[in-house]
Structure formats: C-alpha cells, structure tokens
C-alpha cells in the first residue's frame, strides 16, 4: 500500500508526456463504447497513476492517483472548468445552472442555493421521506412472502417520488406524471449520447433527436407553471408556514436573495436549477440503495449486524432524523457500498491553462477524466479493493486513507450540493426496509454494473421478498 501522506517523490521540474493508449484514428472508442468501466480498470491496473487515451481525434487524460484528483478538484481547481463535450449536452437541455456553469456565474448560484441544502433544512424533509418509504412498504406488504420484486425499479420510484415532493410537492410517479415519463426517456437519450461519442449532435434532425426534442418541449412549460402557481398561492394564502402546508424547495428558493444585489432569483433561473435538481437527485440515490440491497443480500453477516443495529435503535418505530446519528454501522455500509459502486462513476473537467500532474505535462484545453469507480478500486490505496468491508469506514481506519482515494460526491467547492439530502434519504429508506424485510437475489441472476449516466445494475435487480 502506498502511504497516503507522502507527496510524490518524482522530480517535478521536467515534464513528461503520460503513457498513451489507443492508436490514430479511432483510438479506444470501440472499447469505451463496449464497456468504459472495464477500460478504465484495465488502464488503472496497468498504468496506476495517469494515462492518456485517444478518443477519435483527441486525447483525454484519465487520472487515477488521488494526489492528482486533489490537484484538479481542490489545489489548482481554478485551472479546471467543466468538460465541454459532456457539459454541452446537459446545457442544451437544462440551460445555464449550478451544474452546467463555471466561474462567477456558478459561484453566485452556489452561494445562493447552498442554504436551501443546509442540514437544518434537510431535517424538514425527514417525514416526507419516511412517508414515501412507508407507502412503498405498504405495497410490499400486500405481496406474499417469497414474491419477486424488481428492486431497482422500486428504488427508482421511491426516490423520484421523494425528490418531486421535496422540490415542489408533486408526485412525479403518479401515472399521469408526464414529467416522470420524460425523465425516464431523457435519461435513456443522454446515455445513448454519452456512450456513442460519434452520434449526430442534437441539432441534426435524426428520429432519435427529434423525439428527444419533442419530449423536452412537451414538459418545458411544467416547471415554470409550478413556480407561477406557487407564487399565486403565496399571494392568496401567505407563505407555507402561514398557510400550514409543508415547506418545499420552491418555497425555500423563493425566499433566498443574492448576496450582492439582495434580489431574488428570477423564475427562469429557478426553473433551470429545479430541472437539474430533479435530474441529479433521484437516479443517483436510487442506484446507491439498489447496490446496497444487493450487497447486503450477498453478505448475511453484514446484514445481520445492520439488522441488529436498526432493531436496537428503532425497534418497530419509524425512523426520524435524530435517529440517523445513532446508526453508525448503517453509515459505514452505505459508504462502502458507494466505494464499490459509486453512482456517479466518473466526472470530467477541461484544463484552462497548461498544468502539471506529478511529473506529467497537461496541455491547456485538455479533457480530463476522473474515473471515481477505478480510483475507489485502486489496489495501491485500498487493501483487497474488491472485498465488501464496511469496517474500512470505521473512523480510525478511514483517517489513514488518502482523502481523495474516496470521493463519491466529488470534492472541493463543486462537491455535490445534494449529498446531505441523498445520505439522509438513503439512511431513512434503508432503515425502514431492513426493519421489515430481507431481500434475496433471485436464483441464477448474475449482477454486473452498467455504466450509463449513473452506475446502474445491468438487467435490473430481481429479488425475492422475505418478511423478517
Ligand atoms: C447518492 C446520491 C448522489 C451522488 C453519488 C451524487 C454525486 C455527485 C457528484 C460526484 C457531483 C460532482 C460532479 C462534478 O464535480 O463534476 C455532484 C454534483 C452535484 N449534485 Fe449530486 N449526487 C447525489 C445526489 C444529489 C442530489 C439528491 C441532488 C439534488 C437534489 C444533487 C445535485 C447535484 C448538483 C446540483 C451538483 C452540481 C454542484 C456544483 O457544481 O456546484 N445530487 N453530485
């Protein structure tokens, strides 16, 4: 194991070009398209720190060493902006917002939005989350023990419902929800575009692009409508507290003010932010829960320990926000699950000026990939990286870990703004499932990761429902 505290010992005065893979003209495009996770793992095992990959006409610098991750996300972060190719696609759909912007615009939005995601605010969503989980479990209770359940779909539904209700008090999973339908379809479109790097851009009128644009147009008016309706309601009845209705994210956003001007965000900008919160906020948490339930089914000793903790802290009652800090083993289980299967499996940047990563030269305007999945499985930084061992996250062991060998929520100032929301949601939902059920993988099912926009389970997660 490499010592995390030691800085690179290589001479930093003369630049080297990193090792490269992929030959002109297409490079490793086909291998990437087949399985990007396998490609990054293969490259990490061979090159350890950094490799330059040819994707068609250009190179991407794929970074495995946590020191370089730290350099990019924290130490020299001003030299890195969002990746043009990936970001461009999100920007076309959601516009300029916290996720897609850079520089002063991003900073102003981040400062404005941060308080709405503060721990104290998230506290207010606890009951909403447990209500959503209770509704899901009430449906499970109707099935006979031993019934088959598509757990990945159940998790998608419960997290979409939670995020819709928390954001704008709307159930996006209702049959009539056109937004829910469009999210599912759009996710498939994004995945196609990100895995088919040579696919025609959105402005080319292919059937797939036209269908995607039609879907977007069909719901384009919904978020502005929701904001307008809320403003009317507030004008008629006063704010949520006065009217006695639960405070949601729209209420919070309507009340925030920019530091510099003291003004509120305009409705259009609010719409752009809400779109990205829906997009970023449900599939990630849903996959984290599915992977955790899969891992528990494969590790009965971990499952038993978790059940014992949940039973001891909660007995039969519904968990509250205060209970979360009393469930330290659950936190370790979730953290280890996000190490093995990070929902955001890679993030990317673009260098602004030329730079240096250890001994290696990084040109200006270079595409940089931080493959979170591969770094989380790096045997120079993790002992037995493939083993599911929640005790790695025991405070004494975690303290010895390189800070950037583990970054499921990114790092530095652009760290995920929704991380507390996501972890809260994951704890509460998992606690309620573990309290009542054991889920077992259906016989004959082989589980493999499927790296789409988020890290899904290939073929889904069919499980057998066993009441405890
Ligand atoms: C397990 C669940 C989640 C995971 C693994 C996750 C992961 C991430 C990661 C890795 C980033 C950094 C991206 C980068 O640096 O390029 C990020 C950013 C972001 N996430 Fe999350 N996320 C989760 C849940 C959420 C939720 C629930 C929300 C909102 C409701 C959210 C909203 C955002 C936004 C807006 C950003 C951009 C922040 C910025 O650039 O300032 N995420 N997320």
């Amino acid at each position: 194991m490499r010592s995390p505290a030691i800085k690179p010992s290589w001479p930093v005065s003369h630049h080297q070009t990193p090792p490269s893979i992929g030959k002109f003209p297409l490079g490793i495009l086909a291998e990437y398209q087949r399985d990007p996770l396998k490609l990054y793992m293969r490259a990490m095992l061979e090159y350890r720190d950094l490799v330059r990959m040819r994707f068609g006409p250009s190179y991407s610098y794929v970074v495995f060493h946590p020191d370089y991750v730290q350099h990019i996300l924290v130490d020299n972060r001003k030299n890195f902006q969002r990746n043009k190719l990936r970001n461009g696609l999100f920007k076309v759909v959601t516009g300029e917002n916290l996720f897609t912007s850079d520089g002063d615009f991003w900073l102003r939005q981040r400062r404005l939005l941060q308080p709405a995601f503060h721990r104290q605010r998230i506290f207010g969503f606890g009951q909403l989350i447990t209500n959503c989980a209770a509704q899901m479990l009430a449906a499970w209770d109707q099935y006979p023990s031993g019934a088959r359940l598509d757990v990945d779909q159940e998790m998608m539904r419960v997290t979409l419902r939670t995020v819709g209700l928390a954001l704008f008090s709307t159930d996006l999973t209702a049959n009539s929800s056109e937004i829910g339908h469009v999210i599912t379809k759009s996710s498939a479109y994004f995945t196609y575009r990100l895995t088919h790097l040579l696919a025609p851009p959105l402005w080319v009128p292919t059937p797939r692009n036209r269908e995607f644009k039609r879907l977007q147009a069909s719901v384009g008016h919904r978020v502005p409508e929701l904001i307008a309706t809320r403003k009317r309601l507030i004008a008629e009845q006063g704010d949520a507290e006065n009217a006695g209705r639960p405070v949601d994210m729209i209420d919070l956003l309507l009340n925030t003010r920019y530091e510099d001007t003291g003004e509120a965000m305009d409705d259009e900008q609010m719409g752009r932010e809400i779109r990205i919160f829906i997009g970023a906020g449900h599939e990630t948490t849903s996959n984290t829960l599915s992977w955790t339930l899969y891992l528990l089914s494969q590790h009965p000793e971990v499952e038993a320990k978790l059940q014992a903790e949940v039973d001891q802290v909660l007995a039969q009652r519904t968990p509250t926000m205060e209970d979360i800090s009393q469930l330290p083993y659950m936190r370790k289980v979730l953290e280890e699950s996000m190490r093995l299967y990070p929902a955001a499996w890679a993030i990317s940047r673009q260098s602004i000026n030329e730079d240096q990563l250890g001994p290696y030269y990084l040109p200006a305007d270079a595409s940089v990939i931080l493959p979170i999945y591969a770094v989380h499985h790096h045997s120079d930084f993790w002992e037995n990286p493939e083993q599911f061992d929640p005790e790695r996250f025991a405070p004494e062991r975690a303290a010895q870990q390189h800070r950037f060998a583990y970054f499921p929520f990114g790092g530095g100032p652009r760290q995920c703004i929704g991380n507390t929301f996501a972890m809260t949601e994951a704890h509460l939902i998992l606690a309620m499932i573990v309290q009542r059920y054991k889920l077992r993988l259906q016989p004959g099912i082989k589980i493999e990761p499927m790296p789409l926009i988020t890290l899904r389970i290939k073929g889904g997660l069919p499980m057998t429902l066993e009441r405890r």
Side-chain angles (χ1 to χ4, degrees), residues 16-241:
Q16 296 172 22
T17 300
S20 306
I21 51 176
K23 291 207 176 78
F24 186 80
L26 290 180
I28 44 70
L29 260 182
E31 196 180 343
Y32 177 84
Q33 222 151 287
R34 264 197 312 279
D35 193 338
L37 276 192
K38 250 195 205 143
L39 168 66
Y40 291 156
M41 284 299 287
R42 168 174 89 77
M44 183 270 283
L45 289 170
E46 192 170 345
Y47 299 100
R48 315 307 297 182
D49 292 347
L50 172 67
V51 71
R52 205 167 64 137
M53 288 186 184
R54 178 179 279 286
F55 287 95
S58 59
Y59 282 112
S60 282
Y61 291 72
V62 185
V63 166
F64 305 114
H65 195 302
D67 279 350
Y68 304 167
V69 173
Q70 179 167 336
H71 179 85
I72 293 161
L73 294 182
V74 182
D75 300 341
N76 203 26
R77 60 180 182 271
K78 293 216 163 108
N79 192 35
F80 295 89
Q81 55 187 3
R82 297 198 74 79
N83 183 285
K84 287 180 192 160
L85 180 73
R86 290 182 157 245
N87 206 35
L89 191 54
F90 288 110
K91 219 178 208 169
V92 166
V93 177
T94 62
E96 189 91 349
N97 56 31
L98 185 65
F99 194 84
T100 59
S101 64
D102 277 300
D104 291 344
F105 183 91
W106 166 79
L107 185 61
R108 195 162 177 258
Q109 287 310 105
R110 182 88 193 197
R111 286 197 175 135
L112 180 78
L113 296 167
Q114 189 77 53
F117 286 90
H118 192 270
R119 192 171 295 275
Q120 282 313 108
R121 292 294 188 191
I122 303 301
F123 244 72
F125 294 129
Q127 204 179 345
L128 178 156
I129 297 169
T130 51
N131 285 347
C132 289
Q135 199 182 26
M136 173 182 77
L137 294 177
W140 292 10
D141 288 345
Q142 303 304 310
Y143 302 133
S145 200
R148 177 195 146 122
L149 198 64
D150 288 318
V151 170
D152 56 317
Q153 288 174 30
E154 294 289 313
M155 295 305 113
M156 283 286 183
R157 238 190 320 274
V158 73
T159 52
L160 183 57
R161 190 148 187 268
T162 312
V163 88
L165 290 171
L167 286 177
F168 36 67
S169 308
T170 301
D171 184 357
L172 298 177
T173 64
N175 283 342
S176 56
S177 169
E178 46 179 342
I179 300 188
H181 171 71
V182 170
I183 290 173
T184 313
K185 291 274 179 192
S186 303
S187 179
Y189 176 84
F190 277 124
T191 297
Y192 169 79
R193 286 292 307 275
L194 293 177
T195 46
H196 293 74
L197 298 181
L198 300 180
L202 188 58
W203 55 265
V204 180
T206 61
R208 197 187 298 265
N209 285 346
R210 280 211 307 267
E211 168 67 1
F212 178 71
K213 280 187 169 171
R214 192 193 62 70
L215 280 170
Q216 292 300 318
S218 72
V219 291
H221 61 289
R222 286 298 308 278
V223 173
E225 255 172 37
L226 282 163
I227 298 170
T229 310
R230 178 61 52 82
K231 280 182 146 176
R232 270 200 306 276
L233 195 71
I234 293 172
E236 285 161 16
Q237 304 179 351
D239 63 13
E241 247 167 56

Side-chain angles (χ1 to χ4, degrees), residues 73 82 97-101 106 110 113-114 117 163 167 249 273 276-288 338 342-349 372 407-411 413-423 425-426:
L73 294 182
R82 297 198 74 79
N97 56 31
L98 185 65
F99 194 84
T100 59
S101 64
W106 166 79
R110 182 88 193 197
L113 296 167
Q114 189 77 53
F117 286 90
V163 88
L167 286 177
M249 196 62 88
E273 301 299 350
I276 204 71
F277 293 156
I278 304 174
H282 100 99
E283 219 184 283
T284 41
T285 318
S286 153
N287 287 331
T288 300
M338 287 193 294
W345 55 279
I347 56 180
S348 47
R349 293 288 187 270
I372 300 179
F407 57 118
F409 291 108
R414 292 208 78 139
Q415 166 158 289
C416 177
I417 199 168
N419 59 356
T420 306
F421 184 91
M423 285 306 272
E425 188 181 3

Side-chain angles (χ1 to χ4, degrees), residues 339-368:
R339 182 186 70 81
L340 281 172
Y341 300 109
W345 55 279
I347 56 180
S348 47
R349 293 288 187 270
Q350 195 97 22
S351 61
I352 299 171
N353 297 310
E354 57 180 17
D355 205 338
Q356 193 170 337
L357 295 168
Y360 300 116
Y361 173 70
L362 182 73
D365 203 30
S367 151
V368 179

